[in-house]
Amino acid sequence: MRRFRHFIIVAVLVALSTVGLRALFSVILALPRASSAEAIPIDALFNGHYWMIAFLFSLIMVMMLYALFVFRRPADDDSDGPYIHGNTVLEIGWTIVPTVVVLGFGVWGAITLNDITSPKPNEMTVNVTGQQWVWSFAYPEQGDFASSELVLPVDRTIVLKMTAEDVIHSFWVPEFRVKQDLVPGRETTLRITPTEAGEFALRCAEICGLNHTQMVATVRVLDAAGFQAWVDAENAAPAFADMTPEDRGAFWHSAEGLGCVACHSLDGAPGVGPTWQGLYGRQEELEDGGTVTVDDPYITTSIIDPNAQITAGYLPNLMPQNYADQIAALEQEIQAAEGVDIDIIADLIAFIKTLE
Ligand code: CUA
């Protein structure tokens, strides 16, 4: 009967400790707001794990501390303890119970993963491109325009078809819970069903070089009418043929264009590459000790053969070395779509000249 009393006390203490620890986890391990349909089953999994962790920690700690204090050796007791050689029931129990629990969590996780990654009715595709260190988004079902922010309609499943230009990046919006890598040369997909309008931050969750921590983009979730209005405004953007070279240059600099913004600021702020503010006509010192005046040929060389002349204080091999191909492909695309010959490098030079 006395032994039975110990079991009841320990059981009550374990229960109290489990509830208390679970409450503590809600504070110190709090998850951000859940803003997607996918977050609900994922948070249920988190909840299940938190309860299990709180229970197992309590079970071990309470038993150990209880034994330590309650069964402490009296000061005058020099006798040996009872001799125990194993306990078959206990050993079978602590093998089978954890096995069943771990398998259960595994099955639960697999069902959840299948649930959140399987195709849903009425999906909308958005193409996502990651490059050092900018995000860009294209909307093939809304006129194939590009955007530097991710704008999504609420309550509709979005399929993100993602690829990387250079190294592995990772798409992560904590409020949506789901996360997926972008891998060069391969398409990965991720499904998100935003459940509330609002503004969120997309972060890159894979170390991808010098400016990894700056690789962020805004995600805006709008109601259906707001999303349509945004799509209409994007589609009303002028044709390249109708823009001035300076305006086109500003566009190429942005994340929607060639992504120069990732490394070259326009306001003198330091970056991975030299700022474009006051760049044109400036005397630049080179790594090899020479100097050069920033003019049309220098800028052209810097774009298509970036390692030819490295400005003092900057590193080689950071600027993508395929801009000549990228620019030629873009110029061909515009020629095919609008029937005009655009000189993208001339546009960029025209734009840089405005940044005195
Ligand atoms: Cu891209 Cu880190």
Side-chain angles (χ1 to χ4, degrees):
M1 203 56 216
R2 230 185 124 68
R3 236 173 79 189
F4 199 56
R5 209 194 58 186
H6 288 307
F7 277 115
I8 291 175
I9 294 171
V10 166
V12 170
L13 288 176
V14 167
L16 288 175
S17 168
T18 301
V19 172
L21 269 180
R22 177 66 189 88
L24 183 67
F25 289 171
S26 300
V27 180
I28 60 172
L29 299 172
L31 295 167
R33 274 156 66 106
S35 303
S36 77
E38 291 73 18
I40 292 162
I42 290 175
D43 285 4
L45 263 174
F46 265 108
N47 190 31
H49 280 87
Y50 283 171
W51 276 114
M52 187 50 70
I53 291 165
F55 171 70
L56 289 176
F57 184 83
S58 302
L59 186 69
I60 294 164
M61 286 300 156
V62 166
M63 280 204 198
M64 191 177 75
L65 293 173
Y66 189 84
L68 216 58
F69 288 104
V70 176
F71 302 126
R72 191 176 167 78
R73 178 178 68 89
D76 55 352
D77 182 2
D78 285 332
S79 64
D80 285 341
Y83 179 73
I84 298 169
H85 185 90
N87 183 321
T88 310
V89 175
L90 200 58
E91 285 164 20
I92 292 176
W94 76 39
T95 305
I96 290 179
V97 173
T99 304
V100 170
V101 169
V102 168
L103 286 176
F105 272 104
V107 170
W108 185 6
I111 291 171
T112 303
L113 186 65
N114 182 56
D115 180 26
I116 63 175
T117 54
S118 60
K120 310 286 185 304
N122 192 29
E123 290 182 338
M124 180 185 124
T125 299
V126 177
N127 295 329
V128 179
T129 306
Q131 76 179 85
Q132 290 170 320
W133 290 276
V134 286
W135 296 96
S136 64
F137 310 96
Y139 289 75
E141 295 166 16
Q142 278 77 24
D144 212 18
F145 59 83
S147 169
S148 59
E149 56 174 8
L150 178 60
V151 179
L152 302 173
V154 75
D155 290 332
R156 186 161 172 200
T157 301
I158 313 300
V159 191
L160 300 173
K161 298 195 169 166
M162 313 199 288
T163 187
E165 293 279 349
D166 34 40
V167 298
I168 297 177
H169 304 276
S170 185
F171 182 103
W172 186 42
V173 179
E175 289 84 353
F176 296 157
R177 298 293 189 273
V178 288
K179 181 158 95 175
Q180 175 63 51
D181 279 5
L182 288 74
V183 184
R186 151 183 337 181
E187 187 185 89
T188 53
T189 60
L190 187 64
R191 286 183 164 79
I192 301 168
T193 314
T195 48
E196 58 177 354
E199 203 170 301
F200 307 95
L202 160 62
R203 294 167 173 81
C204 176
E206 189 73 57
I207 297 276
C208 57
L210 263 187
N211 260 15
H212 157 70
T213 55
Q214 309 296 316
M215 191 168 165
V216 290
T218 304
V219 180
R220 281 195 296 135
V221 177
L222 305 173
D223 60 28
F227 178 71
Q228 193 52 49
W230 177 78
V231 166
D232 293 344
E234 288 291 313
N235 278 322
F240 288 113
D242 298 335
M243 293 166 73
T244 62
E246 290 80 5
D247 286 346
R248 281 198 302 260
F251 175 81
W252 302 127
H253 173 265
S254 73
E256 291 136 81
L258 293 165
C260 315
V261 62
C263 304
H264 302 282
S265 77
L266 301 179
D267 58 2
V272 168
T275 182
W276 285 5
Q277 188 188 48
L279 180 65
Y280 199 86
R282 195 160 67 194
Q283 289 278 327
E284 292 278 44
E285 288 192 19
L286 298 177
E287 272 297 327
D288 64 12
T291 57
V292 67
T293 304
V294 177
D295 53 10
D296 292 21
Y298 170 74
I299 293 176
T300 305
T301 307
S302 295
I303 295 171
I304 62 177
D305 186 11
N307 281 346
Q309 293 164 301
I310 294 294
T311 309
Y314 294 93
L315 297 169
N317 300 320
L318 282 177
M319 172 108 165
Q321 295 178 45
N322 64 347
Y323 269 135
D325 298 339
Q326 277 197 54
I327 286 171
L330 261 171
E331 287 173 349
Q332 257 180 23
E333 230 174 81
I334 294 168
Q335 166 61 240
E338 298 184 19
V340 286
D341 281 319
I342 301 281
D343 184 341
I344 290 176
I345 292 178
D347 291 347
L348 284 166
I349 292 170
F351 175 57
I352 289 171
K353 283 181 178 166
T354 67
L355 302 169
E356 292 309 324

